[in-house]
Amino acid sequence: MGGGVYHVGGGISAPTAISAPDPNYTEEARRAKKQGTCVLWLIVDSTGKPRDIRVARGLGFGLDAKALEAVQQWRFQPALKDGKPVDVQISVEVEFHLY
């Protein structure tokens, strides 16, 4: 089976999010009126589930943890190599906006 973890490009398609629930805000961030984008690195496995998620660029105020929690719930159409699902490393941006 194997082949390791791929990167998008060179015959490897990008995974597509099919379910991406929004993150919750923390009270600390709400009081500080903090908004912005948290960037996460992760691996989308061949079943479309995210794993090995880590913060590449955080926001603080507890929002990084909320972004991690949200992305753990996301589901993807997996990346493909030669028509077969494969594990792929990607980055995702999680937006935090006060309305």
Side-chain angles (χ1 to χ4, degrees), residues 12-71:
I12 312 296
S13 68
T16 306
I18 53 177
S19 173
D22 288 331
N24 293 317
Y25 244 91
T26 62
E27 279 307 310
E28 180 186 9
R30 197 177 306 282
R31 281 194 302 274
K33 295 181 173 40
K34 182 69 175 173
Q35 300 186 97
T37 303
C38 182
V39 179
L40 304 177
W41 280 101
L42 61 125
I43 293 171
V44 176
D45 71 19
S46 60
T47 67
K49 292 182 182 170
R51 65 176 172 87
D52 301 341
I53 307 167
R54 63 184 195 273
V55 177
R57 189 176 74 226
L59 292 170
F61 297 93
L63 295 177
D64 303 343
K66 292 298 183 182
L68 288 167
E69 286 174 18
V71 172

Side-chain angles (χ1 to χ4, degrees), residues 58-85:
L59 292 170
F61 297 93
L63 295 177
D64 303 343
K66 292 298 183 182
L68 288 167
E69 286 174 18
V71 172
Q72 286 171 347
Q73 305 304 312
W74 289 16
R75 293 299 173 259
F76 294 84
Q77 187 72 41
L80 299 176
K81 179 181 189 301
D82 301 325
K84 294 184 173 31

